[in-house]
Amino acid sequence: MSLASTSPARGKSGLMLSRLRRSLGNALDKLSHEPVGMLGFLVLSLLVIVAIFAPLIAPYSPSTQNLEQALLPPSWAHWAGTDEFGRDILSRLIYGTRITIQTVLAVSLIVGPIGMLIGIVAGFAGGRTDAILMRFTDIVLSFPSLILALAFAAAIGAGLQTAIIAISLTGWPPIARLARAETLIVRNTDYVAAARLYGASPLRLLFLYIAPMCIPSVVVRLTLNMAGIILTAAALGFLGLGAQPPAPEWGAMISSGRRFMLDNWWVAVMPGIAILLTSLAFNLVGDTLRDILDPRHARS
């Protein structure tokens, strides 16, 4: 009797594992045909490894000052040169990777659920609820995100947590609009209608039938938005509203190095290159995920 009762559960779990393996296999197969996307994934993987093992990888302390070695050009001893306080720029870039990854992940974990919840509720409920939520979204979208983030950061106070909150408050509207558009399509599908006929409650329809279908598009949009998050965080740091010195935040490093651009270019250029490569890697990964997860955007 116990065998009979457990065999359907085992069969169902085995079927789910089989589908998961098949999905992962298809994703890896598509990824193998995207060399540019694979490069983006490798760069991001390298950044994560660098962020985790920064104390082991960095050749010097990011905060130790040595004025006798101030503004040294790139060399074998200091691959990216030193800044005005004699600190090794490469070591500061390596430790700054932690701040960048932390900012991107924190903003994504805040923006994704909030934007998705607002979007699917507006698309599923419709009527006055949809109108109110979307008009509020349009109001937030009407302001330039950077200007709005600057206003929030200036009002709350400078700091890394402030930058994360400010970027999150301005980053959810595009996610909400995308989730609403997906919900308007999914809510009219046959399996949602069948679940409604079988007596599924609105909450069950919303979170078990509609929300999972919106997740791939939201993940792709979040990945594409990560480059913008990095640039906005760097802009806040450049203006002194992000992570505060002596934290090795890339935007703040560019701000402190702009005074030496003519004679000591490496002080500002090296963190600029780090921002460029990281933003480019996120864009490449976002484009690849869009091709893999959304067949409507598959390349010919």
Side-chain angles (χ1 to χ4, degrees):
M1 184 175 181
S2 59
L3 292 176
S5 61
T6 57
S7 58
R10 291 180 179 177
K12 186 176 181 179
S13 62
L15 181 60
M16 293 178 62
L17 289 175
S18 177
R19 290 179 177 176
L20 180 60
R21 293 193 193 100
R22 191 181 305 113
S23 300
L24 290 176
N26 293 335
L28 291 176
D29 181 64
K30 292 181 180 179
L31 185 60
S32 64
H33 293 85
E34 296 283 349
V36 177
M38 180 69 76
L39 177 62
F41 274 103
L42 291 177
V43 172
L44 291 186
S45 300
L46 179 62
L47 287 174
V48 173
I49 293 173
V50 168
I52 294 174
F53 299 103
L56 302 177
I57 298 175
Y60 301 94
S61 170
S63 57
T64 301
Q65 300 182 11
N66 187 353
L67 297 179
E68 295 180 356
Q69 297 185 353
L71 299 175
L72 293 180
S75 62
W76 288 110
H78 302 279
W79 288 8
T82 61
D83 62 9
E84 68 272 23
F85 297 108
R87 297 173 297 192
D88 182 64
I89 294 178
L90 177 61
S91 299
R92 290 179 61 78
L93 291 178
I94 291 174
Y95 275 87
T97 306
R98 286 184 162 185
I99 298 176
T100 301
I101 298 298
Q102 177 186 350
T103 303
V104 169
L105 291 180
V107 172
S108 299
L109 291 176
I110 296 173
V111 166
I114 292 177
M116 186 172 172
L117 179 62
I118 293 175
I120 61 177
V121 169
F124 181 76
R128 182 173 299 179
T129 302
D130 182 20
I132 293 174
L133 292 176
M134 286 301 101
R135 295 302 76 75
F136 177 67
T137 303
D138 292 338
I139 292 173
V140 178
L141 278 175
S142 64
F143 294 94
S145 59
L146 178 58
I147 303 300
L148 199 56
L150 288 173
F152 279 122
I156 300 173
L160 179 59
Q161 289 75 17
T162 297
I164 292 174
I165 295 173
I167 299 172
S168 300
L169 290 175
T170 61
W172 61 266
I175 306 299
R177 291 177 68 92
L178 175 63
R180 175 182 178 272
E182 294 289 336
T183 302
L184 291 176
I185 298 174
V186 174
R187 73 176 185 178
N188 295 322
T189 55
D190 293 337
Y191 78 95
V192 173
R196 186 180 287 110
L197 289 175
Y198 275 99
S201 64
L203 288 178
R204 186 178 182 86
L205 289 173
L206 196 63
F207 293 106
L208 294 183
Y209 290 88
I210 295 178
M213 301 301 296
C214 301
I215 290 177
S217 298
V218 171
V219 169
V220 171
R221 184 56 188 261
L222 282 174
T223 308
L224 291 172
N225 285 354
M226 287 177 180
I229 294 172
I230 294 173
L231 295 176
T232 305
L236 293 176
F238 182 86
L239 297 173
L241 297 174
Q244 297 300 295
E249 199 275 327
W250 295 345
M253 292 174 65
I254 295 177
S255 177
S256 63
R258 72 184 189 278
R259 297 173 293 171
F260 313 100
M261 276 293 296
L262 295 180
D263 298 322
N264 311 105
W265 54 268
W266 57 88
V267 182
V269 169
M270 293 303 179
I273 293 176
I275 294 174
L276 172 64
L277 293 179
T278 305
S279 301
L280 180 61
F282 274 115
N283 278 330
L284 294 178
V285 169
D287 288 337
T288 303
L289 287 178
R290 179 181 59 189
D291 295 337
I292 292 175
L293 298 177
D294 192 350
R296 291 173 296 180
H297 293 89
R299 294 176 182 172
S300 57

